[in-house]
Amino acid sequence: AEKIRGYVVYVGAYANLSRAERLAKELRERKLDARTGTVERPDGKPLISLWIGPFEAKSEALAALPEIHAAGFQETMIRAVP
């Protein structure tokens, strides 16, 4: 797996892989570097995270927020990834 470093804008988590992939595609069509990753929930079912990035600086992540919000993702969180 690719090692992500810097900052990412976390946009959501989905139980449905096809929905997460469709949303990631829509974000990439807006020239945003959308990525997905899967984790296992405590009940053993997969949960697909959707994020934008990585960005080298937090300011770059902040600068991407207007486009992310315009795509319909209002509840976002910027996270530092060591």
Side-chain angles (χ1 to χ4, degrees):
E2 177 185 1
K3 181 69 174 162
I4 303 290
R5 293 176 187 234
Y7 294 87
V8 297
V9 180
Y10 181 79
V11 294
Y14 304 90
N16 184 297
L17 177 61
S18 62
R19 179 163 187 240
E21 289 177 344
R22 179 178 52 80
L23 294 170
K25 181 178 183 251
E26 290 174 13
L27 289 164
R28 285 191 291 271
E29 287 170 356
R30 290 176 168 265
K31 308 296 185 225
L32 294 164
D33 188 9
R35 299 169 186 238
T36 59
T38 304
V39 296
E40 190 173 299
R41 298 187 319 198
D43 64 6
K45 294 180 182 176
L47 187 64
I48 298 88
S49 296
L50 177 59
W51 70 90
I52 310 296
F55 300 94
E56 287 187 22
K58 188 173 184 179
S59 60
E60 294 173 355
L62 287 166
L65 289 179
E67 186 64 27
I68 295 167
H69 293 165
F73 296 91
Q74 301 302 316
E75 299 293 324
T76 59
M77 179 181 8
I78 295 175
R79 301 178 100 169
V81 183

